[in-house]
Amino acid sequence: MSNDPVPHESSSLHHLAEKAHRQPKLLTKGEVEELAHFVLKGAEGATEEQKEIAKRALRNPEGIESSDITALATQILTRK
């Protein structure tokens, strides 16, 4: 058994957010969509700007800017 108190899904999402923060343009379409879904559905404390970025990412994940991906990742990495 793992000593990690964080559920697998949260741990996986955190790992994805770290990857997005370091190398946002290397994310796949699916990874960008996963970040956007979390910000829209499960992220407490997401700003309106982050929610708008997430909506744009879901409409066109391949057209999202690096800075926008980083903003989504930052929301996940800074949540408590």
Side-chain angles (χ1 to χ4, degrees):
M1 232 184 205
S2 173
N3 290 332
D4 186 8
V6 179
H8 174 67
E9 182 178 328
S10 294
S11 178
S12 176
L13 183 65
H14 189 79
H15 182 71
L16 177 58
E18 288 175 342
K19 177 182 173 184
H21 201 266
R22 283 190 315 272
Q23 301 170 313
K25 279 302 186 181
L26 295 182
L27 264 59
T28 65
K29 175 183 173 183
E31 289 172 330
V32 172
E33 290 173 341
E34 185 177 346
L35 290 175
H37 277 294
F38 180 78
V39 170
L40 286 175
K41 305 274 187 218
E44 293 178 11
T47 65
E48 287 304 313
E49 179 183 5
Q50 290 166 330
K51 290 177 184 178
E52 286 302 315
I53 292 169
K55 288 175 187 175
R56 284 196 323 263
L58 289 175
R59 284 192 302 269
N60 184 13
E62 294 163 337
I64 196 92
E65 298 289 325
S66 295
S67 59
D68 291 338
I69 293 171
T70 302
L72 297 178
T74 299
Q75 197 287 324
I76 293 167
L77 293 172
T78 59
R79 72 186 174 100
K80 295 181 181 180

